[in-house]
PDB file of all heavy atoms in Angstrom:
ATOM      1  N   THR A 297     -13.446   1.724  14.668  1.00 98.00           N
ATOM      2  CA  THR A 297     -12.216   1.087  15.114  1.00 98.00           C
ATOM      3  C   THR A 297     -11.033   1.864  14.549  1.00 98.00           C
ATOM      4  O   THR A 297     -11.196   2.885  13.878  1.00 98.00           O
ATOM      5  CB  THR A 297     -12.194  -0.393  14.676  1.00 98.00           C
ATOM      6  OG1 THR A 297     -11.111  -1.068  15.311  1.00 98.00           O
ATOM      7  CG2 THR A 297     -12.086  -0.538  13.160  1.00 98.00           C
ATOM      8  N   ILE A 298      -9.832   1.388  14.849  1.00 98.00           N
ATOM      9  CA  ILE A 298      -8.612   1.989  14.316  1.00 98.00           C
ATOM     10  C   ILE A 298      -8.080   1.101  13.194  1.00 98.00           C
ATOM     11  O   ILE A 298      -8.070  -0.123  13.314  1.00 98.00           O
ATOM     12  CB  ILE A 298      -7.529   2.120  15.413  1.00 98.00           C
ATOM     13  CG1 ILE A 298      -8.047   2.931  16.596  1.00 98.00           C
ATOM     14  CG2 ILE A 298      -6.268   2.766  14.839  1.00 98.00           C
ATOM     15  CD1 ILE A 298      -7.094   2.952  17.783  1.00 98.00           C
ATOM     16  N   VAL A 299      -7.639   1.731  12.116  1.00 98.00           N
ATOM     17  CA  VAL A 299      -6.977   1.027  11.015  1.00 98.00           C
ATOM     18  C   VAL A 299      -5.621   1.677  10.771  1.00 98.00           C
ATOM     19  O   VAL A 299      -5.514   2.908  10.728  1.00 98.00           O
ATOM     20  CB  VAL A 299      -7.820   1.087   9.719  1.00 98.00           C
ATOM     21  CG1 VAL A 299      -7.063   0.455   8.551  1.00 98.00           C
ATOM     22  CG2 VAL A 299      -9.172   0.412   9.908  1.00 98.00           C
ATOM     23  N   ASN A 300      -4.578   0.867  10.646  1.00 98.00           N
ATOM     24  CA  ASN A 300      -3.288   1.353  10.163  1.00 98.00           C
ATOM     25  C   ASN A 300      -3.189   0.962   8.691  1.00 98.00           C
ATOM     26  O   ASN A 300      -3.003  -0.204   8.356  1.00 98.00           O
ATOM     27  CB  ASN A 300      -2.136   0.739  10.966  1.00 98.00           C
ATOM     28  CG  ASN A 300      -0.788   1.387  10.649  1.00 98.00           C
ATOM     29  OD1 ASN A 300      -0.685   2.213   9.738  1.00 98.00           O
ATOM     30  ND2 ASN A 300       0.245   0.999  11.387  1.00 98.00           N
ATOM     31  N   ASP A 301      -3.353   1.956   7.824  1.00 98.00           N
ATOM     32  CA  ASP A 301      -3.286   1.706   6.381  1.00 98.00           C
ATOM     33  C   ASP A 301      -1.818   1.705   5.955  1.00 98.00           C
ATOM     34  O   ASP A 301      -1.329   2.648   5.324  1.00 98.00           O
ATOM     35  CB  ASP A 301      -4.094   2.771   5.632  1.00 98.00           C
ATOM     36  CG  ASP A 301      -4.013   2.621   4.127  1.00 98.00           C
ATOM     37  OD1 ASP A 301      -3.677   1.511   3.652  1.00 98.00           O
ATOM     38  OD2 ASP A 301      -4.287   3.608   3.417  1.00 98.00           O
ATOM     39  N   VAL A 302      -1.109   0.650   6.329  1.00 98.00           N
ATOM     40  CA  VAL A 302       0.313   0.538   5.988  1.00 98.00           C
ATOM     41  C   VAL A 302       0.449   0.499   4.463  1.00 98.00           C
ATOM     42  O   VAL A 302      -0.340  -0.164   3.772  1.00 98.00           O
ATOM     43  CB  VAL A 302       0.928  -0.715   6.635  1.00 98.00           C
ATOM     44  CG1 VAL A 302       2.426  -0.770   6.376  1.00 98.00           C
ATOM     45  CG2 VAL A 302       0.651  -0.735   8.142  1.00 98.00           C
ATOM     46  N   SER A 303       1.453   1.226   3.955  1.00 97.00           N
ATOM     47  CA  SER A 303       1.559   1.439   2.505  1.00 97.00           C
ATOM     48  C   SER A 303       3.005   1.355   2.050  1.00 97.00           C
ATOM     49  O   SER A 303       3.865   2.038   2.613  1.00 97.00           O
ATOM     50  CB  SER A 303       1.018   2.833   2.140  1.00 97.00           C
ATOM     51  OG  SER A 303      -0.259   3.062   2.702  1.00 97.00           O
ATOM     52  N   GLU A 304       3.262   0.533   1.037  1.00 97.00           N
ATOM     53  CA  GLU A 304       4.595   0.507   0.421  1.00 97.00           C
ATOM     54  C   GLU A 304       4.565   1.499  -0.741  1.00 97.00           C
ATOM     55  O   GLU A 304       3.973   1.239  -1.790  1.00 97.00           O
ATOM     56  CB  GLU A 304       4.929  -0.904  -0.058  1.00 97.00           C
ATOM     57  CG  GLU A 304       6.410  -1.275   0.026  1.00 97.00           C
ATOM     58  CD  GLU A 304       7.351  -0.364  -0.745  1.00 97.00           C
ATOM     59  OE1 GLU A 304       6.942   0.258  -1.736  1.00 97.00           O
ATOM     60  OE2 GLU A 304       8.534  -0.293  -0.351  1.00 97.00           O
ATOM     61  N   ARG A 305       5.161   2.674  -0.522  1.00 96.00           N
ATOM     62  CA  ARG A 305       4.995   3.781  -1.478  1.00 96.00           C
ATOM     63  C   ARG A 305       5.623   3.495  -2.837  1.00 96.00           C
ATOM     64  O   ARG A 305       5.105   3.940  -3.868  1.00 96.00           O
ATOM     65  CB  ARG A 305       5.592   5.057  -0.895  1.00 96.00           C
ATOM     66  CG  ARG A 305       5.012   5.498   0.436  1.00 96.00           C
ATOM     67  CD  ARG A 305       3.534   5.786   0.374  1.00 96.00           C
ATOM     68  NE  ARG A 305       3.086   6.412   1.626  1.00 96.00           N
ATOM     69  CZ  ARG A 305       1.823   6.666   1.917  1.00 96.00           C
ATOM     70  NH1 ARG A 305       0.857   6.328   1.071  1.00 96.00           N
ATOM     71  NH2 ARG A 305       1.500   7.240   3.057  1.00 96.00           N
ATOM     72  N   ALA A 306       6.740   2.779  -2.869  1.00 96.00           N
ATOM     73  CA  ALA A 306       7.334   2.456  -4.172  1.00 96.00           C
ATOM     74  C   ALA A 306       6.397   1.555  -4.961  1.00 96.00           C
ATOM     75  O   ALA A 306       6.195   1.757  -6.171  1.00 96.00           O
ATOM     76  CB  ALA A 306       8.700   1.793  -3.982  1.00 96.00           C
ATOM     77  N   PHE A 307       5.804   0.554  -4.306  1.00 95.00           N
ATOM     78  CA  PHE A 307       4.831  -0.307  -4.989  1.00 95.00           C
ATOM     79  C   PHE A 307       3.621   0.511  -5.422  1.00 95.00           C
ATOM     80  O   PHE A 307       3.059   0.306  -6.500  1.00 95.00           O
ATOM     81  CB  PHE A 307       4.349  -1.423  -4.053  1.00 95.00           C
ATOM     82  CG  PHE A 307       5.378  -2.446  -3.646  1.00 95.00           C
ATOM     83  CD1 PHE A 307       6.710  -2.338  -3.998  1.00 95.00           C
ATOM     84  CD2 PHE A 307       4.990  -3.539  -2.887  1.00 95.00           C
ATOM     85  CE1 PHE A 307       7.645  -3.283  -3.613  1.00 95.00           C
ATOM     86  CE2 PHE A 307       5.919  -4.504  -2.493  1.00 95.00           C
ATOM     87  CZ  PHE A 307       7.239  -4.371  -2.852  1.00 95.00           C
ATOM     88  N   GLN A 308       3.203   1.429  -4.552  1.00 94.00           N
ATOM     89  CA  GLN A 308       1.981   2.192  -4.766  1.00 94.00           C
ATOM     90  C   GLN A 308       2.100   3.205  -5.907  1.00 94.00           C
ATOM     91  O   GLN A 308       1.179   3.345  -6.715  1.00 94.00           O
ATOM     92  CB  GLN A 308       1.610   2.932  -3.475  1.00 94.00           C
ATOM     93  CG  GLN A 308       0.402   3.857  -3.585  1.00 94.00           C
ATOM     94  CD  GLN A 308       0.230   4.741  -2.356  1.00 94.00           C
ATOM     95  OE1 GLN A 308       0.947   4.594  -1.363  1.00 94.00           O
ATOM     96  NE2 GLN A 308      -0.708   5.663  -2.418  1.00 94.00           N
ATOM     97  N   ILE A 309       3.243   3.906  -5.952  1.00 90.00           N
ATOM     98  CA  ILE A 309       3.345   5.093  -6.803  1.00 90.00           C
ATOM     99  C   ILE A 309       4.282   4.897  -7.987  1.00 90.00           C
ATOM    100  O   ILE A 309       4.042   5.442  -9.075  1.00 90.00           O
ATOM    101  CB  ILE A 309       3.820   6.296  -5.959  1.00 90.00           C
ATOM    102  CG1 ILE A 309       2.792   6.593  -4.856  1.00 90.00           C
ATOM    103  CG2 ILE A 309       4.047   7.521  -6.832  1.00 90.00           C
ATOM    104  CD1 ILE A 309       3.272   7.590  -3.816  1.00 90.00           C
ATOM    105  N   GLU A 310       5.332   4.100  -7.800  1.00 91.00           N
ATOM    106  CA  GLU A 310       6.401   4.060  -8.793  1.00 91.00           C
ATOM    107  C   GLU A 310       6.338   2.862  -9.727  1.00 91.00           C
ATOM    108  O   GLU A 310       7.177   2.741 -10.626  1.00 91.00           O
ATOM    109  CB  GLU A 310       7.760   4.072  -8.078  1.00 91.00           C
ATOM    110  CG  GLU A 310       7.956   5.302  -7.197  1.00 91.00           C
ATOM    111  CD  GLU A 310       9.185   5.212  -6.315  1.00 91.00           C
ATOM    112  OE1 GLU A 310      10.060   4.357  -6.611  1.00 91.00           O
ATOM    113  OE2 GLU A 310       9.271   5.974  -5.332  1.00 91.00           O
ATOM    114  N   ARG A 311       5.359   1.978  -9.533  1.00 90.00           N
ATOM    115  CA  ARG A 311       5.354   0.752 -10.324  1.00 90.00           C
ATOM    116  C   ARG A 311       4.095   0.604 -11.173  1.00 90.00           C
ATOM    117  O   ARG A 311       3.724  -0.491 -11.584  1.00 90.00           O
ATOM    118  CB  ARG A 311       5.547  -0.451  -9.394  1.00 90.00           C
ATOM    119  CG  ARG A 311       6.906  -0.407  -8.690  1.00 90.00           C
ATOM    120  CD  ARG A 311       7.179  -1.596  -7.813  1.00 90.00           C
ATOM    121  NE  ARG A 311       7.186  -2.840  -8.557  1.00 90.00           N
ATOM    122  CZ  ARG A 311       7.468  -4.032  -8.005  1.00 90.00           C
ATOM    123  NH1 ARG A 311       7.778  -4.107  -6.725  1.00 90.00           N
ATOM    124  NH2 ARG A 311       7.438  -5.127  -8.730  1.00 90.00           N
ATOM    125  N   GLY A 312       3.448   1.738 -11.469  1.00 85.00           N
ATOM    126  CA  GLY A 312       2.327   1.735 -12.390  1.00 85.00           C
ATOM    127  C   GLY A 312       1.055   1.162 -11.790  1.00 85.00           C
ATOM    128  O   GLY A 312       1.067   0.530 -10.735  1.00 85.00           O
ATOM    129  N   GLY A 313      -0.069   1.409 -12.483  1.00 80.00           N
ATOM    130  CA  GLY A 313      -1.320   0.793 -12.077  1.00 80.00           C
ATOM    131  C   GLY A 313      -1.944   1.438 -10.857  1.00 80.00           C
ATOM    132  O   GLY A 313      -1.748   2.614 -10.576  1.00 80.00           O
ATOM    133  N   GLN A 314      -2.678   0.647 -10.101  1.00 86.00           N
ATOM    134  CA  GLN A 314      -3.499   1.142  -9.018  1.00 86.00           C
ATOM    135  C   GLN A 314      -2.740   1.166  -7.687  1.00 86.00           C
ATOM    136  O   GLN A 314      -1.796   0.409  -7.474  1.00 86.00           O
ATOM    137  CB  GLN A 314      -4.744   0.266  -8.874  1.00 86.00           C
ATOM    138  CG  GLN A 314      -5.624   0.236 -10.116  1.00 86.00           C
ATOM    139  CD  GLN A 314      -6.254   1.584 -10.398  1.00 86.00           C
ATOM    140  OE1 GLN A 314      -6.731   2.261  -9.505  1.00 86.00           O
ATOM    141  NE2 GLN A 314      -6.267   1.976 -11.662  1.00 86.00           N
ATOM    142  N   TRP A 315      -3.232   2.010  -6.758  1.00 90.00           N
ATOM    143  CA  TRP A 315      -2.633   2.100  -5.440  1.00 90.00           C
ATOM    144  C   TRP A 315      -2.717   0.772  -4.680  1.00 90.00           C
ATOM    145  O   TRP A 315      -1.910   0.507  -3.789  1.00 90.00           O
ATOM    146  CB  TRP A 315      -3.355   3.166  -4.616  1.00 90.00           C
ATOM    147  CG  TRP A 315      -3.077   4.567  -5.030  1.00 90.00           C
ATOM    148  CD1 TRP A 315      -2.322   4.978  -6.083  1.00 90.00           C
ATOM    149  CD2 TRP A 315      -3.552   5.747  -4.379  1.00 90.00           C
ATOM    150  NE1 TRP A 315      -2.299   6.348  -6.145  1.00 90.00           N
ATOM    151  CE2 TRP A 315      -3.053   6.849  -5.114  1.00 90.00           C
ATOM    152  CE3 TRP A 315      -4.353   5.981  -3.275  1.00 90.00           C
ATOM    153  CZ2 TRP A 315      -3.330   8.165  -4.746  1.00 90.00           C
ATOM    154  CZ3 TRP A 315      -4.629   7.291  -2.913  1.00 90.00           C
ATOM    155  CH2 TRP A 315      -4.121   8.362  -3.640  1.00 90.00           C
ATOM    156  N   THR A 316      -3.692  -0.046  -5.014  1.00 93.00           N
ATOM    157  CA  THR A 316      -3.966  -1.278  -4.270  1.00 93.00           C
ATOM    158  C   THR A 316      -2.721  -2.132  -4.087  1.00 93.00           C
ATOM    159  O   THR A 316      -2.533  -2.759  -3.041  1.00 93.00           O
ATOM    160  CB  THR A 316      -5.067  -2.088  -4.982  1.00 93.00           C
ATOM    161  OG1 THR A 316      -6.257  -1.286  -5.020  1.00 93.00           O
ATOM    162  CG2 THR A 316      -5.366  -3.379  -4.265  1.00 93.00           C
ATOM    163  N   LYS A 317      -1.835  -2.170  -5.076  1.00 94.00           N
ATOM    164  CA  LYS A 317      -0.668  -3.058  -4.995  1.00 94.00           C
ATOM    165  C   LYS A 317       0.292  -2.623  -3.889  1.00 94.00           C
ATOM    166  O   LYS A 317       1.019  -3.454  -3.353  1.00 94.00           O
ATOM    167  CB  LYS A 317       0.051  -3.141  -6.344  1.00 94.00           C
ATOM    168  CG  LYS A 317       0.714  -1.847  -6.789  1.00 94.00           C
ATOM    169  CD  LYS A 317       1.574  -2.069  -8.031  1.00 94.00           C
ATOM    170  CE  LYS A 317       0.735  -2.215  -9.269  1.00 94.00           C
ATOM    171  NZ  LYS A 317       1.578  -2.244 -10.496  1.00 94.00           N
ATOM    172  N   GLY A 318       0.306  -1.356  -3.523  1.00 96.00           N
ATOM    173  CA  GLY A 318       1.152  -0.895  -2.429  1.00 96.00           C
ATOM    174  C   GLY A 318       0.471  -0.931  -1.082  1.00 96.00           C
ATOM    175  O   GLY A 318       1.096  -0.640  -0.056  1.00 96.00           O
ATOM    176  N   LYS A 319      -0.811  -1.279  -1.087  1.00 97.00           N
ATOM    177  CA  LYS A 319      -1.607  -1.252   0.140  1.00 97.00           C
ATOM    178  C   LYS A 319      -1.946  -2.642   0.664  1.00 97.00           C
ATOM    179  O   LYS A 319      -2.461  -2.763   1.787  1.00 97.00           O
ATOM    180  CB  LYS A 319      -2.920  -0.505  -0.143  1.00 97.00           C
ATOM    181  CG  LYS A 319      -2.751   0.930  -0.625  1.00 97.00           C
ATOM    182  CD  LYS A 319      -2.411   1.857   0.517  1.00 97.00           C
ATOM    183  CE  LYS A 319      -2.480   3.321   0.114  1.00 97.00           C
ATOM    184  NZ  LYS A 319      -2.379   4.227   1.278  1.00 97.00           N
ATOM    185  N   SER A 320      -1.703  -3.679  -0.113  1.00 97.00           N
ATOM    186  CA  SER A 320      -2.295  -4.988   0.159  1.00 97.00           C
ATOM    187  C   SER A 320      -1.310  -6.062   0.580  1.00 97.00           C
ATOM    188  O   SER A 320      -1.672  -7.239   0.645  1.00 97.00           O
ATOM    189  CB  SER A 320      -3.058  -5.466  -1.085  1.00 97.00           C
ATOM    190  OG  SER A 320      -4.155  -4.621  -1.348  1.00 97.00           O
ATOM    191  N   CYS A 321      -0.067  -5.684   0.875  1.00 98.00           N
ATOM    192  CA  CYS A 321       0.905  -6.688   1.306  1.00 98.00           C
ATOM    193  C   CYS A 321       0.423  -7.348   2.599  1.00 98.00           C
ATOM    194  O   CYS A 321      -0.292  -6.746   3.401  1.00 98.00           O
ATOM    195  CB  CYS A 321       2.267  -6.042   1.523  1.00 98.00           C
ATOM    196  SG  CYS A 321       2.893  -5.162   0.073  1.00 98.00           S
ATOM    197  N   ASP A 322       0.829  -8.589   2.802  1.00 98.00           N
ATOM    198  CA  ASP A 322       0.456  -9.300   4.022  1.00 98.00           C
ATOM    199  C   ASP A 322       0.821  -8.460   5.249  1.00 98.00           C
ATOM    200  O   ASP A 322       1.910  -7.856   5.293  1.00 98.00           O
ATOM    201  CB  ASP A 322       1.178 -10.641   4.094  1.00 98.00           C
ATOM    202  CG  ASP A 322       0.709 -11.622   3.021  1.00 98.00           C
ATOM    203  OD1 ASP A 322      -0.306 -11.339   2.348  1.00 98.00           O
ATOM    204  OD2 ASP A 322       1.363 -12.665   2.859  1.00 98.00           O
ATOM    205  N   THR A 323      -0.061  -8.436   6.226  1.00 98.00           N
ATOM    206  CA  THR A 323       0.047  -7.725   7.514  1.00 98.00           C
ATOM    207  C   THR A 323      -0.174  -6.224   7.398  1.00 98.00           C
ATOM    208  O   THR A 323      -0.073  -5.510   8.400  1.00 98.00           O
ATOM    209  CB  THR A 323       1.389  -7.968   8.242  1.00 98.00           C
ATOM    210  OG1 THR A 323       2.458  -7.230   7.606  1.00 98.00           O
ATOM    211  CG2 THR A 323       1.746  -9.459   8.289  1.00 98.00           C
ATOM    212  N   PHE A 324      -0.499  -5.707   6.224  1.00 98.00           N
ATOM    213  CA  PHE A 324      -0.566  -4.261   6.012  1.00 98.00           C
ATOM    214  C   PHE A 324      -1.904  -3.641   6.408  1.00 98.00           C
ATOM    215  O   PHE A 324      -2.150  -2.470   6.082  1.00 98.00           O
ATOM    216  CB  PHE A 324      -0.256  -3.921   4.542  1.00 98.00           C
ATOM    217  CG  PHE A 324       1.210  -3.670   4.263  1.00 98.00           C
ATOM    218  CD1 PHE A 324       2.193  -4.239   5.037  1.00 98.00           C
ATOM    219  CD2 PHE A 324       1.597  -2.863   3.198  1.00 98.00           C
ATOM    220  CE1 PHE A 324       3.541  -4.019   4.773  1.00 98.00           C
ATOM    221  CE2 PHE A 324       2.935  -2.632   2.919  1.00 98.00           C
ATOM    222  CZ  PHE A 324       3.909  -3.202   3.709  1.00 98.00           C
ATOM    223  N   CYS A 325      -2.756  -4.381   7.138  1.00 98.00           N
ATOM    224  CA  CYS A 325      -4.041  -3.793   7.552  1.00 98.00           C
ATOM    225  C   CYS A 325      -4.372  -4.176   8.999  1.00 98.00           C
ATOM    226  O   CYS A 325      -5.344  -4.891   9.250  1.00 98.00           O
ATOM    227  CB  CYS A 325      -5.160  -4.225   6.613  1.00 98.00           C
ATOM    228  SG  CYS A 325      -6.705  -3.303   6.838  1.00 98.00           S
TER     229      CYS A 325
END
């Protein structure tokens, strides 16, 4: 199938920890 891995880059990269926090916002998959 097709997946749009929508990503909030500031959450993902600039706020520490794992990438998951920038990838998991509601509607982001």
Side-chain angles (χ1 to χ4, degrees):
T297 190
I298 303 173
V299 175
N300 189 353
D301 177 20
V302 185
S303 310
E304 213 302 333
R305 302 299 189 187
F307 294 5
Q308 176 190 354
I309 298 170
E310 301 170 17
R311 297 183 61 177
Q314 300 294 317
W315 288 4
T316 299
K317 67 172 75 172
K319 301 283 190 170
S320 295
C321 304
D322 292 350
T323 75
F324 270 27
C325 191

